[in-house]
Amino acid sequence: MENKEVYVAKSIETKSFFDGGLLQFIGWSILGWLVTISTLGICYPWSVTMIYGWKINHTVIEGRRQKFTGSAVGLFGNWIKWWFLSVVTLGIYSFWLFIKLEQWKVKHTTFVD
């Protein structure tokens, strides 16, 4: 007679949630807006990484906290390249800018554990 092991999958309840607050969001948004306006848009990548980092770092998916590893310096190089391509193509490349920015964000988003 064969020795058979039975594996029972236990149902582990995991939750997804966002634990950031409204006042934090307002504060980070105002700071990002002020930095972008006062530098005439040069520090926009810093604003994007700051606000997106806050959002991701306060997000838990199925019990696993997310972490944003991107930096403003890393985005700045891409931002200059994307801006240049938009100018050279007379704005046509700007249609892909949103997708490129989202791809960069996802590339720099991981789980803490």
Side-chain angles (χ1 to χ4, degrees), residues 76-110:
F76 189 75
N78 286 317
W79 195 255
I80 295 298
K81 177 178 65 175
W82 299 335
W83 178 83
F84 176 75
L85 288 171
S86 293
V87 170
V88 169
T89 62
L90 303 175
I92 294 172
Y93 188 79
S94 65
F95 292 113
W96 282 270
L97 256 175
F98 175 77
I99 299 300
K100 289 296 185 184
L101 184 57
E102 290 301 309
Q103 288 173 342
W104 184 87
K105 288 177 183 178
V106 170
K107 180 180 177 183
H108 293 91
T109 301
T110 62

Side-chain angles (χ1 to χ4, degrees), residues 22-38:
L22 177 62
L23 291 178
Q24 291 173 333
F25 175 71
I26 291 171
W28 285 116
S29 296
I30 290 172
L31 182 61
W33 182 81
L34 287 173
V35 167
T36 301
I37 297 299
S38 65

Side-chain angles (χ1 to χ4, degrees), residues 40-90:
L40 302 175
I42 293 171
C43 288
Y44 178 70
W46 180 78
S47 176
V48 168
T49 57
M50 177 187 65
I51 294 170
Y52 185 73
W54 172 81
K55 176 183 165 188
I56 288 302
N57 293 336
H58 286 277
T59 301
V60 175
I61 303 292
E62 294 184 0
R64 298 178 69 194
R65 185 165 294 279
Q66 293 185 321
K67 178 181 177 183
F68 180 63
T69 60
S71 70
V73 174
L75 180 57
F76 189 75
N78 286 317
W79 195 255
I80 295 298
K81 177 178 65 175
W82 299 335
W83 178 83
F84 176 75
L85 288 171
S86 293
V87 170
V88 169
T89 62
L90 303 175

